[in-house]
Amino acid sequence: MTAPTPAAPPPLSPGGTPRGAFAPFRHRDFTVLWSATVISNVGVWMYNAAAGWLIAVLDPQPLTVSLVQVATMLPMALVALPAGALADIVDRRRLLIVVQAATMAASALLGLIVLAGLATPALVLAFTFAAGVGAAMVAPAWQAVVPQLVPKADLPSAVALNSVGINISRALGPALAGLAIAALGLAAPFLINALGFVLVIGALVWWRRKPARASQLPAERFGNAVRTGLRHARRNPHLRATLARSLGFFVCASAYWALLPLIARDLVAGGPQLYGLMLGAIGVGALLGALALPRLKARLGADRLVAAATLATAAALVLFALARHPAVALAASVLAGAAWIQVLSSLNVSAQVALPDWVRGRGLAVFVTVMSAAMTLGSLLWGKLAGLIGLSLALVVAAAGLVAAIPLTRRAKLQTGLGVDLSPSMHWPQPVLSQEVAPDRGPVMVSVEYRIDPKDREAFLEKLAVMEHERRRDGAYAWGLFDDAATEGRYVETFMVESWLEHLRQHERITRAARALQDEIRTLLRPGYPTVTHLIATDLPRGTARPEEDDGAAAA
């Protein structure tokens, strides 16, 4: 299963003219993988639709039906960050092949269980959870692999075409699932989905990617990669704003995804065909929304576009609550799909432009984790609430929550990273050493001495406050700035990293935006500064009294 990669505005060529929206199809690798994933994702959407309907048949309680959405999204919340770390430190192509093969086997096994008449709600939810784990494992890798398929100039168009492909499959899959269930039985969509994975695996085996610029340093250890990714996300203001807007939207917008089978069956009195058509209508709406996205983005900007699409989602929820005729339900589905892709696209692009390449998989995994956790929480909430106050009223409450979220999150601005150059600068010189330093030795304290004119103190401190976030985003776990009490205008900045190897990685992570900040700081310094010192922790010989153990030393 591929992760939805939303549309982006059309890219500009170096001369400023828009590049063709279909330019990525000139590249064979992209065309083959795109085609295979679109066909495979038709099967994925057939699986999702069939799982939701099967649960509604086996146990029609609202909470049980909403658990399908929980089983789909909870793995994203639990697994996405470790998966993002793996996507940054292992071969992404091999990771994709292995996980896709395992997901294919699980889908085929569930199909056989349904065919044998042995399916229970617990079994369906367990297999759906397993499929969700597979999707979570490949989501960061799929998004991070797109830049390897096309040149940088065609990357925005490639992201947009991925979104179009997802929505084509979303439009076709649920409708085909309804037809397959009616003609062949409930097992058919699960077996068809398994066959679809063969195409993706075959395309990945065929693909021979161009080698990226290889680091001379060994790969990060898994635990350290996860910690570094979380540290970066915490100190990245562009990403934090995106996460805040994601929480405000997805908790309430998850209501119709969680309750759609019951809307089709109980409010509109339809069958699996109507449910499939409603899911297909959501896909059609998303496709139309993706095509309209560049014009709407140019007219409204990212923040106002998301606010407008949030209001449209609230209107769709009210329409679902009032729907008693298929036409109303289908109209609400189209509106919901169009609004969904506007929000998801804007949020995803905002996350993409906030991240440098070295942490892209982990940063996108944090975004996916927050989105999935919000949808998991929302699905549980709306399923429980629908059982207490009724389906229609629960949908209206969710709509009210979306409207309230707009003013509550208005300070979190989107796509603020667009104007920031996060490409590697590679301008830090290699440290001069008088001895061999083991890569895992540490921690390391780097000190940077500055000398400034006292009149520049305020401007200097403002820039160093920004520098703190840069240091922490690139791997520092502690930072401090010290003012020399004896010498006016002398400051010493210190930051700590876990090991010598981790500090060497900082040399590769420093961005051009950070270099520009450092150049601004240098304009405030006296000649000959800054000076940099590297201090590495040293273990005292055994039996040596440490200061806190030596009363005399403490007294001194």
Side-chain angles (χ1 to χ4, degrees), residues 142-511:
W142 268 121
Q143 294 196 50
V145 88
V146 176
Q148 296 178 258
L149 302 176
V150 296
K152 186 175 182 179
D154 288 332
L155 182 58
S157 290
V159 172
L161 286 172
N162 275 353
S163 177
V164 171
I166 290 291
N167 291 303
I168 289 173
S169 62
R170 187 193 306 220
L172 293 176
L176 291 177
L179 295 174
I181 291 171
L184 303 173
L186 272 167
F190 304 109
L191 297 174
I192 292 171
N193 179 46
L195 290 175
F197 282 105
V198 175
L199 287 174
V200 175
I201 294 171
L204 288 167
V205 171
W206 166 85
W207 176 40
R208 290 294 179 266
R209 68 204 181 287
K210 296 177 181 178
R213 184 185 69 84
S215 170
Q216 300 301 312
L217 304 176
E220 292 181 75
R221 294 179 179 177
F222 178 77
N224 183 69
V226 172
R227 288 193 301 274
T228 303
L230 287 172
R231 191 179 296 130
H232 180 93
R234 180 186 174 193
R235 293 290 176 171
N236 188 324
H238 312 295
L239 183 60
R240 288 203 314 269
T242 304
L243 299 181
R245 295 292 286 271
S246 299
L247 281 173
F249 178 77
F250 289 115
V251 169
C252 295
S254 64
Y256 71 85
W257 286 110
L259 301 173
L260 201 66
L262 296 181
I263 296 171
R265 197 196 66 173
D266 296 344
L267 296 184
V268 192
Q273 292 88 347
L274 176 61
Y275 173 57
L277 286 174
M278 289 173 66
L279 282 171
I282 292 174
V284 170
L287 178 59
L288 296 174
L291 294 176
L293 179 64
R295 290 191 300 275
L296 292 174
K297 170 71 183 305
R299 178 174 298 180
L300 299 175
D303 291 298
R304 287 195 294 169
L305 176 59
V306 169
T310 301
L311 289 174
T313 303
L317 285 168
V318 173
L319 282 176
F320 279 129
L322 300 175
R324 298 298 181 269
H325 190 277
V328 178
L330 291 173
S333 299
V334 172
L335 178 60
W340 177 268
I341 201 63
Q342 301 289 341
V343 176
L344 183 60
S345 298
S346 300
L347 293 174
N348 190 282
V349 170
S350 187
Q352 289 270 9
V353 299
L355 296 164
D357 287 340
W358 69 268
V359 75
R360 187 173 302 279
R362 283 162 281 184
L364 291 173
V366 171
F367 169 68
V368 169
T369 298
V370 170
M371 179 184 75
S372 304
M375 293 193 68
T376 301
L377 175 64
S379 297
L380 286 171
L381 171 65
W382 306 120
K384 183 66 175 178
L385 194 62
L388 294 175
I389 66 175
L391 187 56
S392 293
L393 189 53
L395 292 168
V396 172
V397 173
L402 281 173
V403 174
I406 295 174
L408 291 175
T409 60
R410 68 182 183 277
R411 292 186 178 180
K413 302 301 182 182
L414 296 175
Q415 300 185 17
T416 52
L418 274 173
V420 182
D421 189 350
L422 298 178
S423 57
S425 173
M426 304 299 291
H427 71 285
W428 277 8
Q430 289 298 309
V432 178
L433 303 176
S434 62
Q435 57 181 299
E436 189 72 23
V437 179
D440 59 350
R441 187 176 165 191
V444 175
M445 183 176 75
V446 182
S447 67
V448 186
E449 181 180 350
Y450 304 97
R451 293 288 185 97
I452 65 168
D453 190 316
K455 67 180 177 60
D456 294 325
R457 171 186 168 86
E458 185 175 343
F460 173 77
L461 294 180
E462 287 178 357
K463 296 183 186 301
L464 262 292
V466 179
M467 180 61 71
E468 175 190 359
H469 294 286
E470 293 286 349
R471 304 292 197 205
R472 291 182 184 272
R473 283 200 293 272
D474 288 343
Y477 66 84
W479 183 92
L481 181 66
F482 301 88
D483 189 344
D484 189 340
T487 306
E488 189 177 17
R490 179 176 182 263
Y491 295 85
V492 177
E493 175 198 10
T494 65
F495 58 92
M496 304 279 290
V497 290
E498 293 179 355
S499 67
W500 182 248
L501 179 59
E502 185 67 9
H503 177 59
L504 293 180
R505 290 196 179 100
Q506 282 187 302
H507 283 242
E508 296 186 345
R509 293 169 181 168
I510 192 74
T511 64

Side-chain angles (χ1 to χ4, degrees), residues 13-14 22 26 54 182 262 286 341 398:
S13 67
F22 300 102
R26 295 198 299 256
L54 180 58
L262 296 181
I341 201 63

